[in-house]
Amino acid sequence: MQKRIILAFSLSMLIMITWSALVSKPQPIVNKEVALSEVTLPKQEVLNNIAEAKPSLAEKTGRDIEVIADQWGKIIFSENEAAISDVSFKNYNYQNLLLNEGLSLKGSNKFVLLENTPKSIKFVQSDKDKKIIKDFIFCKPKYCIELYISITNNSNTDLKFAFPLVLGVIKDSKDQLLGRYEDVTVAVANKFTHVNLKNDKDFSNVKYLSYRDRYFSLIVEPVEGNYSGYIRRFNGIKGSEIGLISGDYLIKPGQTHIEKFAIYLGPQDLSHINNVSTSWGNIVNYGTFDFFGQIIFQSMEMIFKIVHNWGVVIIILGVFIYLLFYPLTNKQMRSMKAMQALQPKVEELRARLKDNPQKLNKEIMALYRENKVNPLSGCLPILLQIPIFFALYQVLMRSVALKGAEFLWIKDLAEPDRLFILPKNIPLLGNEINLLPILMAIGMFMQNKLSMSSSSGASAEQQKLMMFMLPIVFGFLFYHMPSGLVLYWFVNSLLMLVNQIKLNLAK
């Protein structure tokens, strides 16, 4: 590939990957058709109590109850809070989703276990004024839970009751790669928005609220009632609390009020989410270029149904996208080849007119026009490909299907390939030898070397610098990336190398 192609293509990818590496959280992806306003929530004193009652994870007491459930693998309940602390997913190498106080009632007294069966778990807490029962029922569709919260008025007077249901207390991730994929989805009617966890937020008339990390998600939808949502930042624990707040309920003496919630607790996989509710699919989002990302992932799923291996899927996808853009790629490579042929004449002009920059530019452009060469023709096709590559990057980074997927020596396509683990760390590389990034860098070096022109001067020096620097830079950028992403890029580099050899032989 000629110099300008390599530069434009590489810089676009370098900007994308560097941005993802440096930004700790994704920017909000807002559906412009909806404006979720900050409002005075019902029972404002409840919201004030949330701000005052900071999570005390380090002070947690009471026993944990381990529930073995076929859909998940293992769910850890905290008895005191009647809440989900942690969930591990057996079909995804027991990767976990840590919620801490997931689905707890903020400000409630301590609960005790009332019933624990393979199909449900029930907790109760009671005082002189009220009795609260929380009943978690594991539904038949995978990763589905129904939560019933019943409140009985034990007193002789009317009970005015409003409660915040905490979805989770999410501590800041020490791994920036994982932390930047966390966000909250808020839905009102059929409209939705994605927001990050960095700032306090209040939302009214919430249809459903969800939290997701890189691979898994918790979605909670009240079946009835008028609920508001909130995000509260707690710097003391370096984390955020996400929750729903009910409206005010008036419960007569001796009466019981029941609230029901539909819940999804599982992987970010549309097939599983749609089995519970087709209205929740919007939480699966690939950022600015989500439209392309959805098409790419659906294409990957169709290919997987045929080949039954995600590594092969990525290779086929890489070949397909390369062929899709081959006419543009071939055109730009030929254009750059024509520009290289004119490079000696350009160097002559620069030497002759070095003291007259304006005339030099005119002479160079006249030379290009005379030979019907457009210096910008190599950049436009690259710009057209950028949305595809941005979307593909997000899909491969977020795809839970790759978690635990094996290919050749690779044990997990969602992790670096780790051909060897060393007993000691190597500076910048760590203690693992990842083969794919090394092969990719070698392929880029060979491609750059084959594409170099025979000209001399400043242009030739720039080409030599790029020939060495770009493979090194990209090798380090991709070294700790998921092997599925590196595999795709390696396939693309290999095909570009083959095409460069073909062009050189055609001279």
Side-chain angles (χ1 to χ4, degrees):
M1 185 186 285
Q2 281 73 15
K3 181 183 70 174
R4 290 179 183 270
I5 298 176
I6 298 172
L7 183 59
F9 195 64
S10 301
L11 285 179
S12 67
M13 289 302 299
L14 183 62
I15 290 170
M16 176 187 71
I17 296 170
T18 304
W19 176 262
S20 272
L22 294 178
V23 178
S24 61
K25 305 288 182 194
Q27 290 191 356
I29 308 161
V30 180
N31 185 327
K32 294 182 179 179
E33 297 180 1
V34 60
L36 295 178
S37 58
E38 297 190 10
V39 297
T40 302
L41 297 171
K43 204 74 173 183
Q44 181 63 36
E45 61 270 25
V46 175
L47 188 58
N48 294 336
N49 290 338
I50 293 173
E52 295 173 1
K54 298 181 179 180
S56 54
L57 303 180
E59 302 172 8
K60 180 179 174 182
T61 58
R63 63 169 176 161
D64 288 335
I65 300 170
E66 183 177 297
V67 175
I68 305 299
D70 289 339
Q71 302 101 310
W72 294 272
K74 184 168 62 176
I75 303 178
I76 305 297
F77 283 88
S78 170
E79 183 178 28
N80 283 354
E81 291 80 20
I84 296 175
S85 300
D86 191 7
V87 187
S88 58
F89 300 89
K90 68 176 182 180
N91 293 330
Y92 301 95
N93 279 2
Y94 286 93
Q95 181 85 2
N96 73 320
L97 178 65
L98 190 63
L99 297 173
N100 295 305
E101 299 176 11
L103 304 175
S104 64
L105 291 179
K106 193 75 174 181
S108 297
N109 296 328
K110 292 182 179 180
F111 284 84
V112 295
L113 179 66
L114 183 62
E115 182 178 289
N116 186 4
T117 72
K119 295 183 179 181
S120 67
I121 186 168
K122 188 181 296 186
F123 301 88
V124 63
Q125 68 110 323
S126 183
D127 56 34
K128 62 182 181 61
D129 295 321
K130 62 185 180 301
K131 179 173 75 173
I132 301 176
I133 295 178
K134 293 180 66 177
D135 190 3
F136 297 83
I137 298 176
F138 309 129
C139 314
K140 286 186 177 180
K142 280 190 173 182
Y143 311 113
C144 168
I145 298 175
E146 291 179 351
L147 171 60
Y148 294 86
I149 300 177
S150 66
I151 304 138
T152 301
N153 186 353
N154 289 338
S155 69
N156 296 322
T157 60
D158 292 347
L159 176 65
K160 191 177 182 181
F161 193 84
F163 63 84
L165 179 68
V166 179
L167 271 69
V169 178
I170 311 302
K171 298 180 71 174
D172 293 347
S173 177
K174 296 180 181 179
D175 187 339
Q176 289 188 352
L177 179 65
L178 299 179
R180 68 171 177 262
Y181 290 109
E182 295 176 334
D183 69 22
V184 172
T185 303
V186 185
V188 177
N190 294 322
K191 311 296 177 60
F192 69 97
T193 186
H194 295 273
V195 296
N196 61 41
L197 283 75
K198 281 291 188 181
N199 302 305
D200 290 359
K201 296 283 184 180
D202 296 322
F203 305 106
S204 61
N205 302 316
V206 173
K207 181 182 180 184
Y208 70 80
L209 189 67
S210 79
Y211 159 75
R212 67 171 181 163
D213 63 6
R214 182 177 174 184
Y215 295 125
F216 304 100
S217 58
L218 168 66
I219 310 171
V220 180
E221 179 175 343
V223 174
E224 294 179 350
N226 181 19
Y227 276 78
S228 301
Y230 69 89
I231 300 172
R232 282 294 175 270
R233 180 75 183 167
F234 296 108
N235 292 322
I237 64 164
K238 294 184 178 180
S240 301
E241 180 179 296
I242 310 158
L244 291 164
I245 301 180
S246 71
D248 290 316
Y249 297 106
L250 189 65
I251 306 174
K252 297 292 184 180
Q255 290 187 350
T256 299
H257 177 81
I258 299 176
E259 287 289 291
K260 178 182 177 182
F261 300 87
I263 296 168
Y264 175 83
L265 181 57
Q268 290 182 56
D269 186 319
L270 278 177
S271 61
H272 291 307
I273 294 174
N274 288 337
N275 279 340
V276 183
S277 174
T278 55
S279 65
W280 294 345
N282 288 325
I283 74 153
V284 179
N285 187 282
Y286 298 112
T288 304
F289 301 106
D290 178 64
F291 173 77
F292 296 104
Q294 298 289 352
I295 294 175
I296 289 171
F297 185 70
Q298 290 173 23
S299 301
M300 291 176 64
E301 284 191 317
M302 287 190 295
I303 298 171
F304 181 78
K305 291 178 181 178
I306 300 173
V307 300
H308 305 293
N309 184 283
W310 285 106
V312 177
V313 169
I314 293 172
I315 292 174
I316 294 174
L317 182 69
V319 173
F320 174 78
I321 292 181
Y322 175 80
L323 293 176
L324 180 67
F325 287 104
Y326 178 77
L328 294 175
T329 303
N330 197 49
K331 181 179 179 180
Q332 68 190 190
M333 294 182 78
R334 292 186 182 278
S335 175
M336 293 301 104
K337 184 178 178 182
M339 290 186 66
Q340 281 188 348
L342 295 175
Q343 208 52 37
K345 294 183 179 180
V346 172
E347 294 295 338
E348 290 178 8
L349 289 173
R350 285 176 176 165
R352 182 164 54 88
L353 300 172
K354 61 181 179 180
D355 296 327
N356 193 344
Q358 292 183 347
K359 187 174 181 181
L360 173 62
N361 290 334
K362 290 180 180 180
E363 291 289 337
I364 292 176
M365 294 308 298
L367 178 64
Y368 286 154
R369 283 196 301 269
E370 181 183 345
N371 290 271
K372 298 180 180 180
V373 173
N374 183 358
L376 298 179
S377 64
C379 296
L380 181 58
I382 288 296
L383 295 176
L384 296 176
Q385 297 180 51
I386 287 177
I388 300 296
F389 286 107
F390 271 57
L392 179 65
Y393 173 80
Q394 289 293 329
V395 168
L396 293 179
M397 291 294 287
R398 294 204 75 126
S399 177
V400 68
L402 300 183
K403 189 64 186 173
E406 298 183 2
F407 179 68
L408 299 179
W409 72 90
I410 303 169
K411 300 300 183 184
D412 189 343
L413 285 167
E415 300 290 337
D417 64 86
R418 298 188 178 112
L419 180 63
F420 299 114
I421 302 295
L422 303 175
K424 294 184 178 180
N425 286 343
I426 299 176
L428 300 178
L429 300 182
N431 69 334
E432 54 193 41
I433 300 298
N434 299 321
L435 180 59
L436 276 178
I438 296 173
L439 293 177
M440 182 194 72
I442 293 173
M444 289 186 68
F445 173 80
M446 294 177 62
Q447 180 187 342
N448 294 351
K449 187 175 178 63
L450 289 173
S451 68
M452 284 184 62
S453 66
S454 57
S455 62
S456 59
S459 176
E461 292 302 318
Q462 290 176 7
Q463 290 186 47
K464 288 181 181 178
L465 180 62
M466 289 174 60
M467 181 179 71
F468 288 101
M469 290 302 298
L470 284 176
I472 294 174
V473 170
F474 270 73
F476 277 112
L477 281 175
F478 278 86
Y479 197 77
H480 295 289
M481 290 286 183
S483 52
L485 180 67
V486 186
L487 176 61
Y488 167 80
W489 198 252
F490 171 69
V491 170
N492 184 76
S493 299
L494 188 62
L495 291 171
M496 297 294 277
L497 174 61
V498 171
N499 195 36
Q500 185 66 59
I501 294 172
K502 178 183 174 182
L503 283 176
N504 287 0
L505 293 176
K507 290 181 178 180

